[in-house]
Amino acid sequence: QEANDLADQLGIEVQVSSAVFDPTEAEPVLRQFIDASFDVILAHSFSHEPVVRELAPQFSDIPFALSADSGDPPDPNMVIYTFSYLQTGYTMCWLGAQLSEAGVLGVAGADEVPYNTEINDGCRVGAEEAVPGIEVIEAFSGDFFDQQKGREVAQSLVDQGADVVVESGGTDSSLGTFAFCEEQGIPCLGTVADQTEIAPNSV
């Protein structure tokens, strides 16, 4: 919605395609944007990096913007943008630690990829600075898509004593974690965007 609002303000055309985290699904979508002669193509997922690195040199007249962990020098028509995952983890767990009455903070991740491990690194620092001695337990679902696995990883953290869950994956599987928190009445914090609509009583 924000992209459409911005397009209205600027008087430009914006086309958004979601649910294409998998690079094999993203490539045909990006090629459709190229064929449609869009002036700028934004690939908002680190999983799209190999596809964008393949396409950018082939279409040097089109600027590509890529959300990625990589600091490698991009192609001349490609820019990489990101935010500090370390700071994201720090702030979420600084707050989450103070919400925990049991002194046990659970962190549910998607997989041990750089952005997720960096969020968790920041999380441990933020939690400790907020509540010295707090126990931080982490678990990864090992999946970016399966919501059931997201539920199971949240359940495992609660079974170990966590009474607040920080969802650090930011992917489709995260929806399962939020659903579990909502059903169990457990405070849950997430990344990427305002997720109160997903779990209004928990987030």
Side-chain angles (χ1 to χ4, degrees):
Q1 183 59 47
E2 289 86 353
N4 292 326
D5 290 345
L6 183 60
D8 290 341
Q9 291 176 26
L10 299 176
I12 60 174
E13 179 186 353
V14 171
Q15 184 174 335
V16 178
S17 181
S18 58
V20 285
F21 181 82
D22 188 319
T24 59
E25 296 175 356
E27 182 173 1
V29 173
L30 293 171
R31 288 189 179 276
Q32 287 174 7
F33 291 159
I34 292 167
D35 293 342
S37 300
F38 279 95
D39 295 318
V40 177
I41 296 176
L42 189 151
H44 190 62
S45 173
F46 68 89
S47 67
H48 298 161
E49 181 169 2
V51 178
V52 173
R53 286 195 178 279
E54 177 186 338
L55 293 175
Q58 298 176 36
F59 301 93
S60 57
D61 57 331
I62 301 175
F64 289 82
L66 170 70
S67 174
D69 295 322
S70 174
D72 295 340
D75 292 291
N77 60 321
M78 180 177 154
V79 64
I80 291 176
Y81 68 93
T82 189
F83 53 87
S84 171
Y85 299 109
L86 197 71
Q87 290 179 5
T88 299
Y90 180 99
T91 53
M92 287 193 306
C93 294
W94 182 89
L95 174 60
Q98 295 180 76
L99 293 174
S100 175
E101 296 178 2
V104 183
L105 181 65
V107 186
D111 206 351
E112 295 185 65
V113 293
Y115 87 90
N116 212 157
T117 57
E118 187 175 330
I119 287 175
N120 287 16
D121 289 344
C123 175
R124 289 188 294 273
V125 175
E128 178 65 26
E129 290 200 5
V131 180
I134 190 168
E135 182 180 359
V136 178
I137 52 176
E138 304 171 24
F140 294 93
S141 66
D143 196 288
F144 294 104
F145 304 100
D146 192 325
Q147 294 183 29
Q148 181 57 34
K149 290 182 179 177
R151 294 179 65 91
E152 291 169 0
V153 77
Q155 177 72 69
S156 73
L157 295 167
V158 171
D159 289 347
Q160 296 175 68
D163 63 343
V164 175
V165 174
V166 173
E167 204 303 306
S168 66
T171 60
D172 289 356
S173 59
S174 307
L175 298 175
T177 301
F178 289 124
F180 174 83
C181 289
E182 185 77 356
E183 291 167 11
Q184 301 297 317
I186 297 168
C188 198
L189 293 85
T191 61
V192 180
D194 181 359
Q195 291 148 331
T196 50
E197 290 185 5
I198 301 169
N201 297 307
S202 289
V203 172

